Structures are given as C-alpha cells and as structure tokens.
Amino acid sequence: QTAIAKFILKKFSPKIIISPDASDARARLYTLLGKEAKIPSLDIQYGLTGPDGVEWKFLSTNKVAVWGKSSRDELIKHGVNKNKIVITGSPRHDSGTTKDEKSLKILKQKYNINKDKIVILFASTYTDKSHYIFSDPNVLNNMKKSIFDTAILHPNILLLVKPHPVENITETKALVKNFENIFFVDKTENIMDLIHLSDSFISFGSTSTIDALIANKLSICPIFPGWPFSRIIDETGVVLVPKSKDELGKIFNQFTKNMKPFNAGKSKTNKNFIDSFVHKVDGNSAERVKNLILDIAIGSNQYECR
C-alpha cells in the first residue's frame, strides 16, 4: 500500500488530498505521505464523533471539515488544533431537506406500500470480530429479534428492514418468525429515500439516525444492557431509548395509536440537537465543502474556524 501510494503521489502530483474519516489506515497513509511531500490535505467527517474516537488524535491533515459545533468540540478534546477545524455541515445531510417524489413513488410500488400501514424503517447493523471485545454478539441478535417479534404483534405496521451493506442477511432473517408484515429491502437502496417514505425510524445508533431526525421522523434507538455503541445518541435526548423488549413493546403500542404526542415532546430538543450536530440544514453543505477544497487547492485562506 505504501509503495502504491508513493507511486500515485509522484506520478500525478495532486494539488490536494481529500480523505474520509481518519480511522481508515489507507487514508492515513496518503495524508502522511502527502504531508512529507508538502501536498495539502483535507479530512471530511463521515460518521459521528465522540469520546471514543481516538483516531482523531492522529489527524495529520491541514484541515478537517466537520458537521457542526459538537463535532468541533469533540475534536478539540482529542487534541486537534482548533485552527484546523472548519464547520461545513455534511453533504450527506443535504438530501434530508428535499424529497425525490419520483423515487418515492417507485419505492412505494416496489414494496407495495399503502396508506393503511404505519411504515417503520429499521436500519439493521452487524458486528465483526473486533466488536466482540466490547459486546457479546448475542446482545445485538436479541435486540434485532425483539424488534421483529414486536412488529409481528402489530399487523397495522409494515416493518421495512434495510440491512447494512456487509451484514449477513441470512443470519438476520433467521431471527424472524413471521414475514407477514416484515420486508427486507435491497441493501443497495438509498436510505434517505426510505427514511422519507417511513413514519418512524429504528436504528442502533447509526449515522442514519441523524438523517431521520433532520427529516423529522420519530426515531427509536434500542439500547439493551451490554450494548455500548449508541452512547452518543442516548445522551442527546432526541430519540426514544427502550432498554428492554417490554419497553419496546410499550412504545409500539402507544405510537401505533397516536404518534403526535411523541413528535410534540421531541420537536424542541430535536431542533437544539440538529443545530449543534449539523450546522445548517439548508442543503448547501456540499457547496461549502467544495469551496473549502478549492480554497486549499489554490492556497487561499478564506475559510477560518467558526
């Protein structure tokens, strides 16, 4: 990888190196070699930042584009120089502000969605061997099974399951007793379109939770004992957090009768959270990132930490 990276940088002499989160060793390799070759670089935040994000301690890029104030504050705690941090918002959140009605119509037909059903989108996830140090894989399977079992008890619900791209779908499907009102969508589907299509959203603290909150969807994040990966979402107070199958069942029972009390109770907290986490929900984050890239590439200094 080092030899390939050196060859590419020497052959093409890029004006800038743009990297996703610093957690990828390959990305770090390019930015480190770029630093040695005096090639400016920009890191773009892809996922949530929190106290566990130790990879930020090794940030070697000239600048880092972050989602919002809370991300900036977390990076500063990890030792990132505040003058390297630029708040741009995230390009992925731009799509949360608008709906592609044509795509939604195609999805409704594809998955036979009608107005008689409450549509809940479940963004499933996976664990790999590296996760086993933090959590027993049976905890995740128990949470998934609890969601499936609870959905089955509510025939007025259609549970759309969006598998993680690297999830073992066969293993997840084996946890389902009855597929009458549970449907696994293609893992390549655009999750933002599915979020716009749904009435409510369930995840285990994934980045897509932010997308759902921007789209003003009632969001549920089960955190059963032994699941340590959703702490950031839990602390926000903007999602419903069932700690057991019984608590999950009570939430389903209540909001299938009337969702309004839940949304009304969360709306103010939701807005405060979004203001802190995603800067501006104006659909222009990609434009801000683009301008920052151009500024770095041509050597200007228009964007300062703010």
Side-chain angles (χ1 to χ4, degrees):
Q1 288 289 343
T2 304
I4 292 169
K6 282 185 173 180
F7 172 80
I8 288 172
L9 294 179
K10 184 177 180 180
K11 180 176 175 62
F12 296 101
S13 300
K15 294 291 184 186
I16 183 172
I17 296 170
I18 303 167
S19 165
D21 285 330
S23 58
D24 190 314
R26 294 166 300 177
R28 252 188 248 144
L29 180 61
Y30 276 89
T31 54
L32 283 169
L33 290 171
K35 190 173 183 179
E36 190 179 77
K38 300 191 182 330
I39 301 170
S41 56
L42 169 69
D43 194 86
I44 300 175
Q45 179 189 349
Y46 271 41
L48 288 167
T49 59
D52 301 325
V54 293
E55 69 270 10
W56 293 107
K57 293 182 184 296
F58 306 101
L59 183 78
S60 59
T61 56
N62 297 80
K63 296 283 184 181
V64 54
V66 300
W67 293 0
K69 295 189 289 291
S70 61
S71 298
R72 177 196 61 196
D73 294 345
E74 284 295 339
L75 264 60
I76 290 172
K77 287 178 187 176
H78 285 301
V80 177
N81 186 322
K82 68 177 183 179
N83 294 319
K84 285 188 172 188
I85 305 168
V86 182
I87 298 175
T88 58
S90 171
R92 69 168 287 150
H93 297 141
D94 288 351
S95 58
T97 61
T98 55
K99 297 180 185 179
D100 184 343
E101 296 295 344
K102 186 177 178 181
S103 295
L104 296 186
K105 186 177 180 180
I106 292 170
L107 283 173
K108 285 178 183 177
Q109 293 171 344
K110 184 176 180 179
Y111 298 117
N112 196 25
I113 296 170
N114 58 61
K115 293 179 181 179
D116 298 332
K117 296 276 189 180
I118 293 171
V119 180
I120 299 178
L121 175 63
F122 169 35
S124 189
T125 192
Y126 73 104
T127 53
D128 61 27
K129 290 179 180 178
S130 66
H131 294 151
Y132 296 172
I133 358 179
F134 306 104
S135 176
D136 184 334
N138 290 322
V139 175
L140 179 60
N141 287 336
N142 183 33
M143 290 195 293
K144 288 182 185 180
K145 191 174 184 304
S146 296
I147 292 168
F148 297 142
D149 290 349
T150 305
I152 289 166
L153 296 175
H154 296 79
N156 59 333
I157 281 176
L158 173 62
L159 184 71
L160 294 180
V161 184
K162 168 66 169 64
H164 189 280
V166 300
E167 182 176 356
N168 188 320
I169 301 173
T170 304
E171 286 183 3
T172 302
K173 284 184 175 180
L175 301 171
V176 184
K177 292 178 182 176
N178 188 329
F179 284 89
E180 210 166 290
N181 63 334
I182 298 174
F183 197 96
F184 280 72
V185 304
D186 192 319
K187 64 183 179 182
T188 62
E189 293 285 11
N190 183 335
I191 198 163
M192 266 318 308
D193 286 339
L194 293 169
I195 286 171
H196 284 306
L197 195 65
S198 66
D199 298 300
S200 183
F201 179 79
I202 301 178
S203 79
F204 299 120
S206 70
T207 308
S208 299
T209 309
I210 313 297
D211 300 322
L213 291 169
I214 290 171
N216 201 29
K217 301 296 179 179
L218 175 67
S219 298
I220 304 166
C221 183
I223 304 179
F224 290 10
W227 182 252
F229 300 111
S230 306
R231 187 169 58 189
I232 298 172
I233 293 295
D234 188 15
E235 291 170 352
T236 64
V238 296
V239 297
L240 301 173
V241 184
K243 307 288 187 182
S244 66
K245 186 176 181 179
D246 285 344
E247 288 186 15
L248 184 66
K250 287 176 183 176
I251 291 172
F252 270 54
N253 288 337
Q254 291 180 56
F255 80 62
T256 51
K257 294 174 184 175
N258 189 356
M259 281 193 181
K260 289 181 181 177
F262 285 100
N263 285 329
K266 294 290 180 186
S267 58
K268 185 177 180 182
T269 318
N270 190 337
K271 185 182 183 305
N272 292 340
F273 169 79
I274 290 171
D275 288 346
S276 173
F277 263 71
V278 299
H279 188 41
K280 295 177 182 178
V281 186
D282 58 3
N284 292 321
S285 295
E287 184 73 12
R288 285 189 285 272
V289 172
K290 182 201 75 173
N291 290 336
L292 178 58
I293 290 168
L294 293 174
D295 281 353
I296 296 170
I298 63 176
S300 73
N301 198 25
Q302 179 183 335
Y303 279 81
E304 295 297 331
C305 180
R306 57 186 182 278

